[in-house]
């Protein structure tokens, strides 16, 4: 019985590190706490086993899951013309490069980028959707509209000044609240 | 987490008294069986966490809970100081279990309040809406 | 005013601790676990020796552990204030 729990500890700890999804890592950590509390019990320390089972396996799991619930998603709308989406959904290389740059920024800031291609007009997006950034492209100039509560905007500006795009120029605009 | 599941609500309503009973048992029997103030307090704080899971509403006045927690800590300090300084336990050894129960109760109250505060601050205040 | 009261309280506690150190001599044999296992029940009347340790033999540790929990709660409250909330916790 003890050997099974010990093997389970090794397996769950390695999988908790190796897994790609944070949610699964949290679950593996809960399993790990359960197994190690059983090991404590087998070694004759019921007090420690109780504390480990309550704190490690219940409270910290719930706290981690609530924290993941609040994990911020950075929504970027890319406003395109209807004919710009090419037939098989592929974008041109320059646009893909731009999106890669933005994703790099999001990874650096520990945000999860969610990029939505939209053919709706700009005013419609501002009024209807939850967004962080809206990109509008016109004649090699990309205008970036930011949400009024976007607190990462200044760091985005700095980042884009360093990582300049070969073709596009950037223009930054903050959406005023009274437009809404 | 926003949909109010009927199943969860009902089962939580049944479970509450058992959680309270288990926590209080663990605190009160801390000197006899495994358990104690810390573990019992953590179990007691599970009441409010379960409450959050079934209905995510803010209904506690956290400042008041924190006052309660500080009072528990102060009472614990005073209790231990008095117990050590008065030296009653050297003549009457029967006093010690009562002291253990009382100190465990205070620790349990403190830990329950503390965990509740941490969880509710974490769940409600961190959000940027 | 409040700070001087706190200072007085700490001073009083320090006096008590120093006085107490003279009262109780340290008379414990070297492997302390054996001593505790042998004498915990007769000295405290608690069958669970763990409780006897953390509330009787080592009460300082328990007190400061409780204090550390309070500190961590203060830190959580301080970190998680967001802008729209009033200054209820700022002091």
């Amino acid at each position: 019985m003890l050997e099974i729990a010990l093997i389970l500890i090794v397996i769950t700890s390695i999988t908790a590190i190796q897994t790609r999804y944070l949610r699964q890592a949290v679950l593996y950590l809960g399993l790990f706490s359960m197994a190690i509390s059983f090991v404590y019990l087998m070694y004759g320390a019921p007090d420690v086993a109780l504390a480990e089972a309550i704190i490690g396996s219940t409270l910290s799991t719930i706290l981690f899951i609530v924290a993941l619930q609040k994990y911020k998603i950075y929504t970027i709308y890319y406003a395109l013309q209807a004919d710009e989406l090419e037939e098989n959904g592929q974008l041109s290389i320059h646009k893909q490069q731009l999106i890669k740059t933005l994703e790099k920024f999001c990874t650096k800031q520990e945000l999860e980028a969610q990029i939505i291609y939209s053919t709706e007009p700009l005013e419609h997006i501002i009024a209807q959707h939850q967004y962080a950034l809206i990109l509008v492209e016109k004649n090699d100039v990309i205008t970036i509209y930011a949400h009024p509560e976007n607190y990462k905007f200044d760091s985005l500006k700095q980042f884009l000044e360093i990582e300049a795009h070969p073709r596009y120029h950037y223009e930054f605009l903050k959406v005023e609240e009274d437009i809404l | 987490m926003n949909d109010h599941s009927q199943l969860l609500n009902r089962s939580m309503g049944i479970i509450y008294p058992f959680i309270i009973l288990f926590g209080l048992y663990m605190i009160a029997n801390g000197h006899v069986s495994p358990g104690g103030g810390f573990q019992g307090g953590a179990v007691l704080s599970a009441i409010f966490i379960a409450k959050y899971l079934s209905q995510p509403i803010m209904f506690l006045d956290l400042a008041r809970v924190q006052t309660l927690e500080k009072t528990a800590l102060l009472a614990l300090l005073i209790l231990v100081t008095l117990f050590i300084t008065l030296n009653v336990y050297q003549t009457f050894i029967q006093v010690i279990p009562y002291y253990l129960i009382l100190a465990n109760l205070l620790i349990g109250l403190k830990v329950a309040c503390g965990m509740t505060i941490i969880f509710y601050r974490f769940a409600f205040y961190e959000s940027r809406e | 005013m409040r700070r001087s009261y706190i200072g007085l309280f700490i001073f009083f506690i320090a006096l008590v601790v120093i006085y107490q150190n003279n009262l109780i001599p340290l008379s414990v044999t070297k492997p302390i676990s054996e001593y505790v296992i042998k004498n915990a029940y007769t000295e405290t009347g608690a069958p669970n020796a763990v409780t006897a340790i953390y509330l009787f033999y080592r009460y300082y540790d328990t007190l400061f552990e409780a204090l550390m929990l309070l500190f961590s709660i203060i830190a959580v409250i301080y970190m998680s204030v967001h802008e729209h909330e009033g200054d209820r916790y700022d002091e």
Side-chain angles (χ1 to χ4, degrees), chain C residues 45-91:
Chain C
N48 188 11
V50 177
T51 312
I53 289 172
Y54 78 73
L55 283 176
F56 187 79
Y57 293 112
R58 299 279 181 271
Y59 49 89
Y60 275 150
D61 298 62
T62 309
L63 287 184
F64 284 104
E65 188 197 319
L67 204 63
M68 285 318 293
L69 186 63
L70 185 69
F71 285 159
S72 71
I73 289 158
I74 289 171
V76 166
I77 286 175
Y78 183 73
M79 294 289 173
S80 68
V81 173
H82 70 124
E83 304 105 57
H84 306 297
E85 203 199 10
D87 296 341
R88 268 166 59 203
Y89 285 104
D90 294 353
E91 229 181 16

Side-chain angles (χ1 to χ4, degrees), chain A residues 1-9 32-46 48-49 52:
Chain A
M1 221 35 204
L2 182 64
E3 283 82 5
I4 297 173
L6 285 173
I7 292 168
L8 200 65
I9 286 172
F32 171 81
S33 292
M34 216 64 217
I36 208 168
S37 89
F38 184 70
V39 172
Y40 289 149
L41 191 65
M42 291 310 252
Y43 277 121
V48 188
E52 177 70 37

Side-chain angles (χ1 to χ4, degrees), chain C residues 19-67:
Chain C
Y19 169 69
Q20 202 60 34
N21 266 344
N22 297 328
L23 266 189
I24 303 174
L26 281 176
S27 62
V28 174
T29 48
K30 195 67 202 217
I32 202 152
S33 59
E34 282 175 22
Y35 175 83
V36 167
I37 291 169
K38 213 180 286 176
N39 295 321
Y41 185 62
T42 49
E43 280 188 3
T44 67
N48 188 11
V50 177
T51 312
I53 289 172
Y54 78 73
L55 283 176
F56 187 79
Y57 293 112
R58 299 279 181 271
Y59 49 89
Y60 275 150
D61 298 62
T62 309
L63 287 184
F64 284 104
E65 188 197 319
L67 204 63

Side-chain angles (χ1 to χ4, degrees), chain A residues 46-48 50-51 54-55 58-59 62-67 69-70 72 149 151, chain B residues 1 26 34-35 38-39 42-43 45 49 52-53 115 119 122-123 126-129:
Chain A
D47 285 87
V48 188
L50 262 176
I54 292 167
I55 304 290
T58 315
L59 290 181
I62 292 178
L63 272 182
F64 278 139
I65 285 181
V66 171
Q69 200 84 18
K70 298 189 174 298
K72 273 299 176 197
E149 288 178 10
Y151 56 100
Chain B
M1 218 176 268
M26 213 183 253
F38 190 73
Q39 290 96 325
V43 169
S45 79
I49 293 174
Y52 170 79
L53 289 184
M115 290 286 177
F119 184 77
F122 201 67
E126 197 70 28
S127 67
R128 203 182 288 266
E129 295 185 23

Side-chain angles (χ1 to χ4, degrees), chain B residues 40-124:
Chain B
V43 169
L44 282 185
S45 79
I47 301 167
F48 294 105
I49 293 174
K51 176 85 180 163
Y52 170 79
L53 289 184
S54 66
Q55 295 171 314
I57 331 161
M58 184 72 177
F59 64 97
L60 282 168
D61 185 5
L62 283 188
R64 197 169 290 172
V65 179
Q66 210 197 0
T67 316
L68 182 64
E69 191 217 348
K70 284 175 185 165
T71 319
L73 179 63
L74 189 65
L76 181 70
L77 270 173
I78 290 172
L79 175 71
V80 175
T81 319
L82 281 184
F83 177 74
I84 300 300
T85 45
L86 288 184
N87 271 331
V88 190
Y89 64 92
Q90 285 178 346
T91 45
F92 300 104
I93 206 163
Q94 303 94 323
V95 183
I96 294 177
Y98 297 106
Y99 154 74
L100 292 180
I101 292 174
L102 210 57
N104 261 337
L105 263 177
L106 287 174
I107 292 176
L109 186 63
K110 185 188 150 39
V111 172
C113 292
M115 290 286 177
T116 312
I117 291 172
I118 288 181
F119 184 77
Y120 270 78
R121 291 298 290 203
F122 201 67
F124 285 106

